[in-house]
Amino acid sequence: MTSFLEDLASPQPGRGGLPARAHLHTDAPRQSLDGTWQVRRHPSPRHLTDDLDWSPIRVPGHLPLQGHGAPIYANLAYPFAVDPPHPPDDNPVADHRLEFAADTAVLAHPSVLRFEGVDGAATVWLNDVELGTLRGSRLTTEFDVTGVLRGGTNVLSVRLAQWSAHSYLEDQDMWWMPGIFRSVTLLARPDGGIRDVFVHTSYDHRDGSGTLRVEVDSSSPVTISLPAFGDLQPGETHHLRLVSPWTAETPILYDLSVRTPSESVDLRIGFRTVHVEDGVLKLNGAPLLLRGVNRHEHDPKHGRTVDLETARAELLLMRSHNINAVRTSHYPPNAAFLDLTDELGFYVMVENDLETHGFELNGWRGNPSDDPQWSDAYADRMRRTVERDKNHASVLFWSLGNESGTGANLDAIAVWAKARDPERLVHYEGDRRSIYTDVYSRMYAMTDEVERLGAGTAPSPRNLPFVLCEYAHAMGNGPGGLTEYQDLFHKYPRLAGGFIWEWVEHSLYGGTTEAGRTIELYGGDFGEKVHDGSFVVDGLVHADKTPGPALIDLARVYAPVSVEITGDTLTIVNRYHGLDLSHLDAELTIGDATSAFELPKLEAGAATTVPLEIDLTRPVTLTLRHREHGHEVAWAQHLPARPPVTLTSAVTPALAPAGTVVPAGITLGTAVFDPATGMPIRLGDLDLHDVAISLWRAPTENDRGVGWDETHLPPVADRWAAARLHDLRTRLVDVTTDGAALVVRTRSGPPIIDAGVDVTWRWTSDGTALALDLTITPYGPWPCDWARAGVDLRLDRPTTRVGWTGYGPGPQYPDTGQGARHGSWSADRDDFAVRTVRPQEHGSRRIDDATVDLGGTGLQISGVDVPITVRPWSRELITATGHDHELPEATETWISLDAAVAGVGTASCGQGVLPQYRLAPSTQHLKVVLRQS
Ligand code: GAL
């Protein structure tokens, strides 16, 4: 027998395990071994000793999240020397031990011990008998423990090393966190019971019939019954005259029972056919559009140990935001997750637990994907993936793994998966030849290429449907450009949609600050020497599963019904796969009055135009809600043109005669201006500080990325830094009057260069309010685009709330904010600012009227569609701060009033800001009225 140390360097699959099979819902007894175990930790497999003390540990759970070692976040870089198949010596080993008494019900039969997920590489002993080794961290292993399990006390020992040869196959972009992180269970296996079941179904949309074939692995006679259809023969294809098809929109499941005299197994099955026809992905004969997300399992306290209630809540949240597909990036999820996707209705791409991306950093030299010594490990992983999850209606695709280059081992598992399960589609993104896959998949392809692929003018293999297995990187403020992708998916049938990267942010909790703020940590915060910083915080929902603004935008973009009000007509396009619109209720709000609206009956895929008899001088909103679940599915809004805000009665500025010093400054109504700068310093009782022109924003994660469309250029944030966009110097040109207006002219520009902006500030007042009519005009050869163009000011008091009329409740940049609608909103300071784990620019709202509440008094801002931001910190401070919890307590308020704002794009991974959403140096106007409220 090989030693523990030798085993760790073996590229072979784990040994001793039983052949992979489905997780079945059986009436055979079972016993959970989850709970409190004991653990002791050695620094290395070369330094194993018996002298260490044991301490309690929760199973399932990760070691580093329970005080044993530290998490490591690295994207593709292996945090050890790339020397396959050898792991490093610096390799913590954790001995786990559980003493337990086996239930008599389990003891009465032969039995197996099941591990659903053990991160790392382990050897397992029961009562000092070695059962075998565990490899494939997110895959199930079962050991036969018949005759080893005994009455009285049993001792289960799991010796778990963090690193092994198999770490080279588990280079997913996530935390390295060893531990027995999924359940451990004893299962009775009655003699003559059911070892495995494989259900094959299909649906024929032409006549509504279905087929069913149930393969059963048992040594006993088997009875199969499908209540609606009676008893069926195992292994035979049964033609069922009329079945209700399963789709994500109609997740109809049938109860199937499989029995032998000693065991009963219950399955919930669905009838559906997924196939490719003329380059189009089809489900039950109709084109299928994937509105998907990539989902990692993540909890900020428990890592990849995610309980089923949380998983269900995640899926319900997805459903209520029009998401219909999940890629289980980048490993099979907790097995029971797929029961939920069957039941709730999702199209699932189950991905094998495989990634060797770190080899790319070494020119793919030594990549296991093309090295025969790893072929058994590849075959083993794919087999265990498929066998476990093969009975789920929701699973439409098997993905060979993620970012593992190319090679014979991948080719072989593709061929195997197709042969084993011809009824599902095979996916793999990393091999552009797509010889063995059923879809052509790419990640982050830019919209212009996606358009060409859709139109058939870009080369793509074998006329396959196109899937974006990852796109629109939801990191920080963004992603921008969702609409542009979706419009293409709607335009070209060959584009089958895709999966946003990614669903959930992977920050880990690190306690709370004295002020009570949750500390959220990312790569590098645990002392890692090799890490990828905040790149792990890139989700539509936060680690605690609360939605970020991008989820609200995505819901609108993914809406399965398009509604548009133009003039006095309403255009509706039904983009459901199969539903007409009868499951929806619609409401029309005109001004303040809301009434039910009769939706036309519209078949899936059809469009119609309906005349609207409405008064177009009032705002109109049409809202479509799901009748049963109450959630909003789609909406459209029409706004009448709004006149600019003007002040009626004007007062004249009190300007001192030329050449005299006016200590009190220049006054205009209740406003006072500093004659040295020409800037307002007071409005009523409010002191205004640091009023200045600004062209910069606190770089977002996307601003810091190199756009895939501009790989020859540094990130835009670096271009701004090089131009010192954050560091404008200002010169007062003159202060004059023009009738009732105070006209201040300034010139601002960054140091070093001879480009800048000429600004005309035209101020008027009605006695209380102060109106600004601002013009910003660039001069000189500007070396970069601008982030924004507007005015910053600081108040020396913190706000608690902002109330506004305008677009909300979420923020809006030119390429985001699809979910924002016009209305009256209110948000507390944090929600208005939109705080992110790593601080950055966020929270811009387009307002018509906003009140920044300063407690007893406030600042009121009025205009038409004026982008504003409100937050307690300067942009410099936000930029210099690495974590949200490090931002100081709010003592002041920074406000920006913008004439224009640049889009945010998705350059943290993918294309930058699309040309139409960039802000090239150009003349900009801002009209805004300020008053103390
Ligand atoms: C992809 C990868 C994901 C993730 C993403 C960026 O290349 O498949 O796992 O790293 O990029 O966040």
Side-chain angles (χ1 to χ4, degrees), residues 228-240:
F229 298 90
D231 286 355
L232 309 168
Q233 281 304 308
E236 275 186 21
T237 301
H238 297 270
H239 294 271
L240 310 175

Side-chain angles (χ1 to χ4, degrees), residues 73 75-76 171-174 294 296 327 329-330 351 355 357 402-403 429 443-444 469-470 473 475 501-502 535-536 538 708 908-909:
Y73 167 58
N75 174 7
L76 51 160
D171 192 29
Q172 291 95 336
D173 175 7
M174 61 191 195
N294 280 278
H296 267 280
R327 174 177 179 230
S329 54
H330 299 301
E351 192 147 86
E355 176 161 341
H357 201 180
N402 187 52
E403 297 184 316
E429 181 273 344
M443 40 176 83
Y444 309 104
C469 69
E470 295 178 25
H473 200 244
M475 187 178 189
W501 188 267
E502 67 178 308
F535 204 58
V536 78
D538 54 357
W708 290 22
S908 55
C909 188

Side-chain angles (χ1 to χ4, degrees), residues 106-112 144-147 187-191:
V106 172
L107 273 173
H109 301 278
S111 50
V112 304
D144 184 356
V145 293
T146 315
L187 304 170
R189 302 299 318 121
D191 281 325

Side-chain angles (χ1 to χ4, degrees), residues 37-42 49-57 68 93-97:
W37 294 37
Q38 299 295 315
V39 72
R40 63 180 186 188
R41 224 163 139 261
H42 315 271
T49 151
D50 277 336
D51 298 343
L52 299 168
D53 290 336
W54 294 90
S55 59
I57 187 157
H68 301 281
V93 174
D95 289 337
H96 295 70
R97 182 185 156 93

